[in-house]
Amino acid sequence: MKEVLIIIKEDAKMKIFHLKHIIVSFSLFIVVYLFLDISNTHTPFGVGLNPYLGLHSSMGLLFGVYGGIGTVLANLIIGFKQGYASTILIPYSLINIMASYLPYKLWYTWGNSNDTKQSIPSLSNIHNIIKFILILMVTSIIYSLLVSLMLDINIDRYQYDSLFTLKYLLNTFNFSFIFGVIGITVSNRLNIGLELPTINIKRKYLNKLYKVLFIVTSIMLILSLIIFPKYQDLGNYILYSIIIFLLVYLTKPVIFEIQKKKYQISIIEDLMLFFLVLTLILFSISGVFAYLTSLEVVGVSSSLQIELFSLLFMDIIVTIFFIPTILILNYVEKEIVKPIIVFSKATKYVKTDEKINTDKIIEDYSKYINKKNEIGTLSNAYIKIAKDINKYILNLQKITKEQERIQTELKIAEKIQKSILPINFPKNNNYQLYAYSKPAKEVGGDFYDFFNIDDETIAIIIADASGKGIPGALFSVKTQALIKSFANQGNNPDEILYKTNNQLCENNEESMFVTLWLGLYNINSHELIYSNAGHNPPLIKEKDNYHLLKSESNLVLGVFEDIGYEHSKIILEDTLILYTDGITEANNKYGKFYQTDNLIKTVNNIHSKNVKEITEDIMRDVNKFMVDIEQFDDITLLILSNKK
């Protein structure tokens, strides 16, 4: 039921659509006739200047048979009002219907047989303009010939001048051209719905049937002329033959799909519009000039000769202007505009993150690349740009893949580095230990470490290698391994640093170095033996206040061999905070550093005795200081506290 209602609704819309076309054609015909009637220039059957004769073809071209119905209805009403007999009006109306439908049928069936699509009537290029003019010529010739033969049969031929057919032809063609140009341009520019032919699914079969019908009709007419020549009036025979052939042709099916794309203004369309407007202006000026000067030129006062001269003069002047102009426009369209249109469609070969289809671009531009002008230069430039972009895309893809590989490897390196740092912090009744490290990049040069040397002693390390990223991380890993190796040999901190430094100096062509603080802590006696290789001095809490732990700084590791290092001893009574310069040199949006004094102030305001909470409070204050600023350096903290 729903499908039936949809079909009824669509059918009603189409009927209203057809009715609009009939009303528009009818109204235009009446308006033109009334203008002629008021101005006393109206004459019957094209004897004078009759612009409405051009409405049959132009309205038919736009609205098909419905445009013809509108103009014929208006013509019938006017004819009956003027007292013409039905014996003239009825055949005249039939001829008008056929003449209206003929340009419509010609437009959609006359063209290159290789075409797969057919456009609606438009004057957007030279091909369409020439096609439009040829269709009007054919229609005007057939129309004027049929009307002349019809009137010659039904009315005393001597009532009309011998030049009647020529004048009727000029009337029809000239005003069909004027109304056609205006109608097609307005309908295209305003996107007014035109009458489109129905594409029958059996169009190939119908086209074959039409060809058979055309051949059979031709044979029958030729045979009738041969067999019954004595019983035929030549005028009648020609009239009926043309009508029969015309009726057969009007049954020809449309075999091409119709393009229904919206009208888009382009350079060539603007040029064509300008050219057609100039042509119409020239038509008007030459017609008025010819009419005003025709008495002197022709030398007689016959209205028929005056009007015929005016029409011929219009056509001659316009032809003189039209032919060279159309040749120039054809050159402009072919050599300039079409290449530009091809160039403007290059974006269809460009897709995000994909190579440009240079084969298609070369195929499109191949006809222009050998031209020795700007078009050839532009075509070659487009091809070169496309190839260069492809090279760039390939390089970019390689770089992207390489970056993705590096990122993957960095992620792996990050996991490896994190796995090297101990995260299982000891749980002991005598002391607390907690550490935190955050590299500025995926991996960094900071590290901390703690490990048991024996049952009573643990080694505590914090270090900062020069550089960031992978180089710093690799140097840190090497340093960490050396420290651990020498510490397990039972050495004092200064001896461990001495041996580590010499090892780091070997083959250190990049002159990398590391600052490092090393302590050996006795968990029972709380004795701390430590040595500092150029690292930030730790903070130690004594008598409820933190201050810098005094010690010899010594030289960083990895610069010079055989450097002596010193060690110091203390009894750790409370808490020791080790850190890297990523904390003290953290900067804010004003370019200021966090600094050691600020760190001392912060930890002195922390009342918790839990080393993890102390670490979290410190980092909270540092992050607050760095708000909206990306971390510049690696940050590492290690806190050791004596439980007593």
Side-chain angles (χ1 to χ4, degrees):
M1 183 65 182
K2 186 177 179 181
E3 288 78 5
V4 173
L5 290 174
I6 292 173
I7 292 172
I8 293 173
K9 188 177 180 181
E10 291 297 322
D11 187 55
K13 285 183 179 179
M14 286 305 300
K15 288 179 179 178
I16 294 171
F17 187 66
H18 298 328
L19 184 60
K20 286 180 180 179
H21 291 166
I22 293 173
I23 292 171
V24 169
S25 304
F26 179 89
S27 303
L28 283 174
F29 197 96
I30 294 295
V31 168
V32 173
Y33 170 78
L34 290 175
F35 173 78
L36 296 174
D37 198 44
I38 293 170
S39 61
N40 294 319
T41 57
H42 173 263
T43 54
F45 294 109
V47 174
L49 293 174
N50 286 325
Y52 60 75
L53 291 178
L55 285 171
H56 293 298
S57 299
S58 57
M59 292 298 100
L61 180 59
L62 295 174
F63 305 134
V65 70
Y66 300 100
I69 291 172
T71 57
V72 168
L73 284 176
N75 205 25
L76 272 174
I77 293 171
I78 293 169
F80 281 121
K81 176 180 175 294
Q82 293 178 340
Y84 288 104
S86 59
T87 55
I88 294 177
L89 288 178
I90 291 174
Y92 185 62
S93 297
L94 291 175
I95 291 171
N96 280 333
I97 284 286
M98 289 188 291
S100 298
Y101 194 45
L102 179 60
Y104 176 84
K105 184 64 75 169
L106 284 170
W107 183 272
Y108 290 107
T109 61
W110 187 16
N112 190 344
S113 59
N114 294 324
D115 290 341
T116 56
K117 289 187 178 180
Q118 180 65 273
S119 66
I120 62 173
S122 68
L123 304 174
S124 58
N125 53 58
I126 299 299
H127 174 269
N128 281 1
I129 289 176
I130 294 175
K131 180 178 178 180
F132 169 70
I133 292 171
L134 291 176
I135 287 173
L136 293 186
M137 282 184 177
V138 171
T139 303
S140 299
I141 291 170
I142 294 174
Y143 182 46
S144 58
L145 186 58
L146 287 175
V147 172
S148 298
L149 290 170
M150 186 272 296
L151 293 177
D152 190 41
I153 293 168
N154 290 277
I155 303 175
D156 184 0
R157 72 184 64 186
Y158 298 109
Q159 291 181 4
Y160 295 92
D161 191 280
S162 58
L163 297 175
F164 169 79
T165 303
L166 176 60
K167 190 176 178 187
Y168 208 92
L169 169 63
L170 295 176
N171 255 316
T172 304
F173 176 78
N174 287 5
F175 292 111
S176 293
F177 180 85
I178 293 170
F179 288 129
V181 168
I182 295 171
I184 290 173
T185 303
V186 171
S187 64
N188 286 166
R189 295 269 166 162
L190 300 182
N191 200 28
I192 296 173
L194 302 180
E195 189 68 35
L196 299 178
T198 302
I199 309 298
N200 196 299
I201 58 173
K202 299 179 180 179
R203 55 185 180 270
K204 291 184 178 179
Y205 167 76
L206 293 174
N207 192 46
K208 291 180 180 178
L209 186 63
Y210 156 75
K211 291 178 180 179
V212 172
L213 180 62
F214 189 85
I215 293 170
V216 171
T217 303
S218 302
I219 294 172
M220 290 179 65
L221 288 173
I222 293 170
L223 288 175
S224 66
L225 183 62
I226 296 172
I227 298 172
F228 309 107
K230 296 180 180 179
Y231 304 100
Q232 294 173 351
D233 180 88
L234 186 59
N236 278 330
Y237 182 82
I238 295 173
L239 175 63
Y240 296 138
S241 297
I242 294 174
I243 291 174
I244 291 171
F245 273 119
L246 193 57
L247 289 172
V248 171
Y249 179 76
L250 293 178
T251 64
K252 184 176 183 180
V254 178
I255 61 175
F256 303 133
E257 296 293 337
I258 308 302
Q259 289 181 317
K260 301 178 183 179
K261 65 178 183 179
K262 289 186 177 181
Y263 184 77
Q264 294 180 333
I265 299 175
S266 64
I267 297 173
I268 190 63
E269 287 164 353
D270 281 336
L271 284 173
M272 295 304 150
L273 178 61
F274 181 71
F275 161 66
L276 292 170
V277 169
L278 284 180
T279 304
L280 293 181
I281 292 172
L282 191 59
F283 250 124
S284 303
I285 293 173
S286 60
V288 172
F289 176 79
Y291 190 81
L292 294 176
T293 59
S294 58
L295 283 174
E296 297 179 7
V297 176
V298 178
V300 294
S301 59
S302 167
S303 60
L304 177 63
Q305 292 180 337
I306 291 171
E307 290 158 358
L308 182 60
F309 173 78
S310 300
L311 291 169
L312 282 171
F313 186 79
M314 288 169 63
D315 289 337
I316 292 169
I317 295 299
V318 169
T319 302
I320 293 172
F321 162 77
F322 194 90
I323 292 176
T325 306
I326 208 78
L327 291 174
I328 293 171
L329 287 175
N330 183 58
Y331 175 82
V332 171
E333 178 184 0
K334 182 180 177 182
E335 301 296 330
I336 300 175
V337 177
K338 282 188 176 180
I340 292 175
I341 292 173
V342 172
F343 297 152
S344 68
K345 294 179 179 178
T347 53
K348 67 183 179 181
Y349 302 127
V350 181
K351 296 180 181 179
T352 306
D353 299 329
E354 291 185 14
K355 288 176 61 180
I356 298 174
N357 191 340
T358 51
D359 291 338
K360 291 296 294 181
I361 289 180
I362 292 172
E363 181 182 334
D364 287 348
Y365 298 170
S366 59
K367 63 181 74 173
Y368 308 118
I369 56 178
N370 293 323
K371 292 185 179 295
K372 305 299 182 182
N373 54 24
E374 290 81 356
I375 296 298
T377 303
L378 187 60
S379 180
N380 282 286
Y382 261 75
I383 293 172
K384 185 178 184 303
I385 289 171
K387 289 181 177 179
D388 288 346
I389 290 175
N390 277 349
K391 290 179 181 178
Y392 172 77
I393 291 173
L394 284 174
N395 290 333
L396 189 61
Q397 288 175 343
K398 289 179 181 178
I399 292 171
T400 303
K401 288 180 180 179
E402 183 65 18
Q403 287 178 337
E404 290 174 353
R405 184 186 64 79
I406 292 172
Q407 283 297 118
T408 302
E409 291 178 355
L410 283 173
K411 291 291 183 184
I412 296 171
E414 181 182 6
K415 291 179 180 179
I416 292 173
Q417 187 177 44
K418 284 182 178 179
S419 68
I420 294 173
L421 300 178
I423 56 173
N424 296 319
F425 302 105
K427 296 179 180 179
N428 191 286
N429 293 328
N430 293 332
Y431 71 99
Q432 301 179 75
L433 191 149
Y434 188 80
Y436 169 85
S437 184
K438 183 182 179 183
K441 296 182 179 181
E442 287 81 357
V443 291
D446 281 11
F447 76 91
Y448 68 85
D449 199 1
F450 55 87
F451 51 89
N452 292 323
I453 294 177
D454 53 42
D455 292 339
E456 293 186 345
T457 307
I458 63 171
I460 299 170
I461 308 162
I462 190 168
D464 181 4
S466 61
K468 302 177 185 66
I470 291 177
L474 291 174
F475 203 70
S476 292
V477 169
K478 182 179 180 180
T479 303
Q480 186 179 7
L482 289 171
I483 291 287
K484 198 165 190 176
S485 174
F486 293 131
N488 285 325
Q489 295 175 10
N491 297 304
N492 286 327
D494 53 333
E495 295 171 338
I496 296 170
L497 294 184
Y498 176 83
K499 294 178 180 179
T500 301
N501 175 62
N502 283 344
Q503 287 292 315
L504 291 176
C505 287
E506 289 184 8
N507 301 318
N508 186 12
E509 296 179 358
E510 300 298 327
S511 300
M512 296 190 71
F513 62 89
V514 60
T515 67
L516 186 143
W517 191 94
L518 169 64
L520 302 180
Y521 178 63
N522 188 297
I523 61 176
N524 293 322
S525 66
H526 304 297
E527 181 185 59
L528 178 65
I529 305 173
Y530 60 90
S531 186
N532 189 352
H535 197 75
N536 303 74
L539 301 181
I540 188 168
K541 188 175 184 180
E542 295 178 336
K543 298 179 181 179
D544 295 330
N545 280 307
Y546 284 94
H547 61 84
L548 294 175
L549 176 63
K550 295 180 180 179
S551 64
E552 291 293 332
S553 178
N554 299 311
L555 191 65
V556 297
L557 305 176
V559 178
F560 300 109
E561 293 183 275
D562 299 325
I563 297 296
Y565 292 88
E566 298 181 1
H567 71 265
S568 302
K569 292 182 182 180
I570 61 168
I571 300 297
L572 182 64
E573 297 181 351
D574 201 317
T575 304
L576 181 74
I577 299 177
L578 305 173
Y579 58 90
T580 60
D581 59 7
I583 290 180
T584 55
E585 293 181 5
N587 62 315
N588 62 12
K589 59 184 178 181
Y590 302 109
K592 294 183 178 180
F593 293 110
Y594 190 74
Q595 296 183 344
T596 306
D597 291 342
N598 201 13
L599 176 61
I600 295 172
K601 181 180 177 182
T602 298
V603 295
N604 279 325
N605 289 327
I606 297 172
H607 302 293
S608 175
K609 292 184 178 294
N610 184 286
V611 289
K612 182 178 179 182
E613 292 177 359
I614 294 171
T615 303
E616 291 172 348
D617 287 343
I618 292 172
M619 289 310 306
R620 190 179 296 111
D621 194 67
V622 172
N623 289 329
K624 183 180 178 182
F625 179 83
M626 293 192 306
V627 65
D628 298 330
I629 297 295
E630 186 178 356
Q631 181 182 333
F632 176 74
D633 199 0
D634 305 331
I635 291 176
T636 303
L637 272 170
L638 189 149
I639 302 178
L640 174 67
S641 179
N642 178 8
K643 286 183 179 181
K644 59 178 181 177

